[in-house]
Amino acid sequence: MGVFERFLTVWVASSIIVGITLGEFLPDLFQAIGNLTAYEINLPVTVLIWLMIVPMLMKVDFKALHEVGKQWRGIGVTLGVNWLIKPFTMAALGWLFIGVLFRPFLPEAEIESYIAGLILLGAAPCTAMVFVWSHLTKGDANFTLSQVALNDTIMIFAFAPIVALLLGLSAITIPWETLTISVVAFIVIPVIIGQMLRRMVMAKGLAAFERFDAKLKPVSMIALLATLVLLFAFQGQQILAQPVIIVLLAVPIILQTYFIAALAYGANKILGVSHKIAAPSAMIGASNFFELAVATAIGLFGFSSGAALATVVGVLVEVPVMLSLVAIANRSRHWFDASAHPTAHRSGGSK
């Protein structure tokens, strides 16, 4: 591993501190950057996400995508955890911690709104950042792209009914423009750019491709750290103004993340799936599509609502927690693959 990968936890912690500090001392600057949005999607953050995931999508070989159907175990675990378990356990944890255990320490008027924000997070599994987590765990790039595309398709039809059911609403207004533009911005455009780069560089030979890929690795890591600085700078004042509320809201989110990751990872192990498939399968359910969750919370409850704050807390804890899951997945690789079925080994890697 390079310097960035080896000390990534240190860089992440430093980026969080730098972001909060800059947000406190330069609030006007970061408010202006935060306002550069289209359909609630921040444009500078979008560009940074492209820089993060394009090098990973460049590795996708579309000629091998037909082989992903052999990975029905990993796909099945991903879909089952994302849509049959995750939204409902998040609602249960929100009710238990925010509605019961932490209730005396929170403003009574915002309790239901906080729980609603947690539900929105639980019903929106990850889209863009899963490419980062898959890459860091040496996941199968083709499988990751396929499961994200399938997940996004289901999200279009399932997000609104699940959220409406859990919030007890008869109807819910979903920001369809945000959902559509998010899929285009975080999947379609990066895939096109990545495949154009792949075709251009591969024309010079495999050795040239590997050299180019090595040069892009620091770009991805720097973009990740810059994204963290921006996200924490945007919310720096809120974090410092309401530290206790932030911590209390983070508890059910963190517990949910570890629970879902463990459930999906364990299910894949029991089914004999290889590590290259199991790791991204677990990561997509554990992390959240925070752009959609934040946009929906603002649309339903308002920018200053408890629901919007809860979804923002999801953004704040996402990267540090997911990096810890990446570390766990990497350290357990030998344990995992040792028990994989032979069929999983034959079809588990990139083609």
Side-chain angles (χ1 to χ4, degrees):
M1 291 192 299
V3 174
F4 279 109
E5 291 90 344
R6 197 178 307 129
F7 298 103
L8 189 55
T9 303
V10 176
W11 308 136
V12 166
S14 301
S15 298
I16 291 172
I17 294 170
V18 169
I20 293 174
T21 304
L22 290 175
E24 175 66 14
F25 289 101
L26 299 170
D28 293 339
L29 171 62
F30 286 97
Q31 184 176 3
I33 296 174
N35 288 334
L36 296 174
T37 62
Y39 300 100
E40 306 299 338
I41 297 174
N42 185 267
L43 300 180
V45 171
T46 298
V47 173
L48 289 172
I49 289 177
W50 287 351
L51 292 175
M52 268 191 281
I53 66 177
V54 163
M56 302 158 203
L57 292 173
M58 189 180 70
K59 297 178 182 179
V60 173
D61 180 5
F62 275 96
K63 295 177 183 176
L65 285 180
H66 67 280
E67 299 285 345
V68 174
K70 296 179 181 178
Q71 309 299 345
W72 59 269
R73 297 181 187 89
I75 290 285
V77 169
T78 297
L79 298 183
V81 167
N82 283 350
W83 300 109
L84 300 179
I85 298 175
K86 184 181 179 183
F88 305 97
T89 54
M90 188 73 263
L93 287 171
W95 173 81
L96 175 62
F97 283 92
I98 305 304
V100 179
L101 298 179
F102 296 159
R103 195 178 197 102
F105 310 104
L106 295 168
E108 185 65 30
E110 294 289 351
I111 296 293
E112 297 302 321
S113 185
Y114 291 145
I115 296 174
L118 295 178
I119 288 171
L120 291 171
L121 276 174
C126 186
T127 297
M129 290 297 288
V130 73
F131 293 111
V132 178
W133 315 135
S134 176
H135 174 72
L136 293 175
T137 57
K138 294 182 170 60
D140 187 310
N142 295 327
F143 173 81
T144 303
L145 176 62
S146 297
Q147 72 165 0
V148 168
L150 180 58
N151 215 53
D152 283 348
T153 301
I154 294 174
M155 193 183 312
I156 291 171
F157 300 100
F159 181 77
I162 288 176
V163 170
L165 172 66
L166 292 175
L167 292 183
L169 302 176
S170 58
I172 181 172
T173 302
I174 299 300
W176 294 109
E177 296 92 345
T178 297
L179 181 54
T180 303
I181 291 175
S182 293
V183 171
V184 172
F186 301 129
I187 302 295
V188 177
I189 292 176
V191 165
I192 292 173
I193 296 174
Q195 289 301 298
M196 288 174 62
L197 282 173
R198 177 184 177 86
R199 185 170 296 184
M200 254 170 35
V201 181
M202 282 295 284
K204 301 176 183 178
L206 182 59
F209 180 85
E210 290 176 348
R211 288 194 300 269
F212 186 71
D213 178 56
K215 290 179 181 178
L216 285 184
K217 281 184 180 178
V219 174
S220 291
M221 293 300 104
I222 291 171
L224 171 61
L225 300 180
T227 302
L228 281 177
V229 170
L230 278 185
L231 291 177
F232 280 84
F234 293 159
Q235 302 299 328
Q237 289 184 313
Q238 251 189 325
I239 294 169
L240 295 175
Q242 306 180 78
V244 174
I245 294 178
I246 299 295
V247 170
L248 295 182
L249 288 172
V251 171
I253 297 172
I254 292 172
L255 289 176
Q256 161 86 343
T257 303
Y258 284 118
F259 168 71
I260 292 297
L263 181 65
Y265 202 51
N268 276 297
K269 180 180 184 298
I270 291 171
L271 292 172
V273 179
S274 70
H275 190 272
K276 288 183 178 181
I277 302 301
S281 173
M283 297 296 167
I284 192 172
S287 52
N288 300 302
F289 189 177
F290 57 80
E291 294 88 0
L292 177 60
V294 171
T296 306
I298 292 172
L300 286 174
F301 301 99
F303 188 81
S304 60
S305 66
L309 179 61
T311 57
V312 167
V313 173
V315 179
L316 301 182
V317 303
E318 167 114 354
V319 173
V321 172
M322 291 304 299
L323 283 174
S324 72
L325 288 172
V326 165
I328 292 170
N330 286 335
R331 288 170 186 169
S332 62
R333 186 188 311 275
H334 65 285
W335 163 79
F336 202 92
D337 283 338
S339 63
H341 294 327
T343 54
H345 283 293
R346 285 197 297 268
S347 60
S350 297
K351 310 295 179 191

